[in-house]
Amino acid sequence: MLLAGPLAAQVAAPSPLVAGDELARAAPGGWFVAQARAESALQAGFPATAAAGYRGLLRDPALPAELRQRVTLALVTALMDAGQLPEAEAVLQDYDGPRTAAYHLRAGLLAAYTQRLDRARDALASSRLEDLPPGDKGWWHFLQAMIADAETDAARKFAAFTQAQAAATSELQRLRFQLGHEQMRLTREPPSEAALAAMRANLERAASARQQTYYEYVLTYAASLSLAGRRTEALAVLQNQLALLQPAERSAADQFRLLLGLIAGEDSVTGRRAFQELLRNGQKPENQRLALQLLARGAKTPADREQLRRDLTELIGAPAQHPIIEDLLLARAEAALADRAYAQAEEDGRALLERYPGSPLRAAALGVRLAVAWDGKRYRAAADLVVQMRGVIAQGRERAELGVLLAEAFFRTGMEATARGGDGRGDYRSAADAYDAALRELPAVVPVGTLIFQRVLSDIRAEQLESAARQLDEAAGNPAFDPVSRWQAEWNLVKEMQVRGQAQAAYARVDRLLTDGAGGVPLELRIRLMWLRARLSFDSGQHAATLQQADELLAALAAAPGIDAGLRSDVASTALLLKGQALLALERDEEGAALLDRLRAEYRGSNAAVYSYIVQAARYTQREDLVKAQELLNKLADEHKESEFAPVALYEAALNEERLGLDRNLRAAYTNLLERLIRDYPRDELVFYARLKQGDLLRKLNDLPAARQVYEFLVNNDAGHPDVLLAQLALADTLFAQSANSVANFESASTWFERLRDLPTAPVDLRAEAGYKWGYALAKRAQAAKEEGTRDQLDQAVTVLWSVVDAFLVDPAQAAQLGAKGRYWLARSLLELGQLHEEAGQLDEARRAYQLIVEYKLYGSAQAQAKLARFQPNREARP
């Protein structure tokens, strides 16, 4: 027969199923984190870092169209901010999304930056303010200000700039408008030589007063020199004026240093020095923030960012607290995050949040910490941070997307827990709830079908199959639940039902789905579902239905010429295998054998063809024709040594030798088959079970010392194996068998039995078996002893045996988990308990032990009733 029990999960029959246990979906969480990180970098003054992040997102072919369009426009913004106007123009030209207000706004800004005023006006007219998202409304007013400045309409420029400042959605955006306002000086038409001469004359006349008008003349003259291409002279003017300023003129110094840095450029030594001085000694915090933004914008390489972090560290650590300490912490965190210096980024983000809980930069700091947690795969921490971010972000697109990110964080936490061998069901339940909440908020870039799919998958992994089925049934009528998402989710559910032994329910579900029609389902997925239905009908014992469904599957395959060649071969071969299995199950052996021969001829070397030897050998074993079974198994092992089923054939052949029962058969199984399996396939999952079986064979050969060595090897070297408890129990059995003349062996056996009985993570059946064997060992040891204290040992045996009954039969929760083996060992425990009470003259307690066997309909009920009849010859045993 085919492998059963703990080995069943180790060997799967060939199937045309997709790799892995379930169909998966591209998860949006990573996209949202990457997008948020790039946006945060842009707001903090790192446009080159932001542009790199956006480009990385756009390289992902699975990025949804709507999100791709949004990221493309964000990349245009970052490139404009970095001064890379030709690159921004190229990206905008390649944009293939709808020409929305957001698109026209960026086209207008690009045109204004490059002095194409007509195009800027047209784009502004095409970009209606009410159609823009909140983050773009301020830029719409700023574009108006740029056009007004180019038209030398000071009043209109001032009004538009004021509106831009009022519409800013954050302090960082307000700062960007202020910086843009200062840069307008350097984007006008170049002045004539006559105009420059007039400006210089005005400057000289106002020099004696040194009032605000004079400072404005200096700024205008320096900017005009730069526009005229006389940049060196412009820098000299500003540097000379800075040298003449008095301490009381710090406000003017701020303006001069800012313009000096803008003319020199943030990439130059002169520009950086000007911004550093402004950041360190500026009079107004808003000017210091401008300097910080410009220094960040100039930090385009890892070396630049490392130097920036050193400069910021000096300012942050100064004895007197810096006026914009919160901005400094965030900038250092963003610079560290850009270079994956996660410890520094986390430390600064945490410091900002803990020291300044009311900071307007709170959301940005949380975003840094979220990126650190996500990159580090600390998804539980990421979930906590998402919850905090949702608490500080108003209703809208970003908050809705954070809801999806929260669900994915829980989902990934469950994945990580499962990968470590832990229990991720609670996290998957949290994910299911979070996806359900996200479905109510409906973030635009995540299709409804994807959210429902993930909701169902979370329920499946949480082992809430009824909830998953209910969700699918309720969503079936939702027009937004696209057919592909629905059927992929159905596939996952049915596959999990199959794995959990719910073959009949799974078959009924997939049969109903296919019968009701599969409109819109990709052909390959429909073919897979038809195959799964045939497989499930076989697993459910509906073998005649399997024959019919396999024929329907083969006909559908023949009518689908465009299907992938590899899938076609897999489906056809496994369908023939299923038909052959069904024929053998129906005892139509000649037809089944002929079909399997055809399979091996038409699909020679395929997994299905190789596995067919195991199927046919199992049928011969069932008919007790072990010679023919061995011929097939040996043929597989000898001719298909590279097949994943070769170790299975060797193991099955060893079992057949064991069934023959003679010592020479047991030795052949040990040496010729199992030892070959271990030697030739050392990494195969069956090696553990082969060694375990070798120990069992040695016990049958009465070579207990050698058997003990085998079990000890497994216990010591395979401690993490899921079935190592079987080796521990077998070792205890062997120690007990060697304990007649060894107190040490008896005590070791008892220790193992006790440990396994009390191990809460062990299967209930195994715990019941260990408990019985411990009690039995104590009883036999006491009965064999003649010295004082025998009564105490018998009492201990009775106590242990009753503990097994009390824990695993009387307790309803544990009793519900009992399998056939567990019920067998409970019956043995009660029979032994009754016998001990009889021998002690405690007939009422013996009677009660036997009655429990009858009441619970356990193994040995006839024997128990016979014993009860002896106690009460004139009364029937209570049924």
Side-chain angles (χ1 to χ4, degrees), residues 286-298:
E286 55 264 34
N287 290 333
Q288 291 176 304
R289 291 190 177 95
L290 285 174
L292 178 59
Q293 283 259 321
L294 289 160
L295 286 169
R297 191 167 75 179

Side-chain angles (χ1 to χ4, degrees), residues 17 21-23 456-457 460 465 468-469 472 486-514 528-537 539:
L17 310 187
D21 292 332
E22 55 208 7
L23 294 172
V456 171
L457 184 56
I460 291 171
L465 300 192
L472 278 173
R486 180 194 172 189
W487 284 78
Q488 287 182 341
E490 291 282 6
W491 169 272
N492 289 340
L493 174 59
V494 172
K495 279 291 297 169
E496 188 66 20
M497 293 170 71
Q498 180 191 31
V499 168
R500 299 197 174 279
Q502 302 176 22
Q504 291 189 352
Y507 170 68
R509 185 171 189 90
V510 75
D511 186 56
R512 174 171 58 84
L513 290 168
L514 287 168
R528 294 181 197 277
L529 284 163
M530 293 179 70
W531 183 92
L532 184 57
R533 176 174 62 175
R535 174 79 247 181
L536 288 169
S537 67
D539 292 342

Side-chain angles (χ1 to χ4, degrees), residues 179 209 275 320 408 435 459 486 550 589 661 831 846:
L179 178 59
F275 295 143
E408 188 173 335
Y435 279 120
D459 272 334
R486 180 194 172 189
D589 293 273
L831 287 169

Side-chain angles (χ1 to χ4, degrees), residues 142-156:
F142 188 78
L143 177 56
Q144 280 194 319
M146 291 180 72
I147 294 173
D149 181 68
E151 295 171 346
T152 64
D153 188 337
R156 188 157 57 89

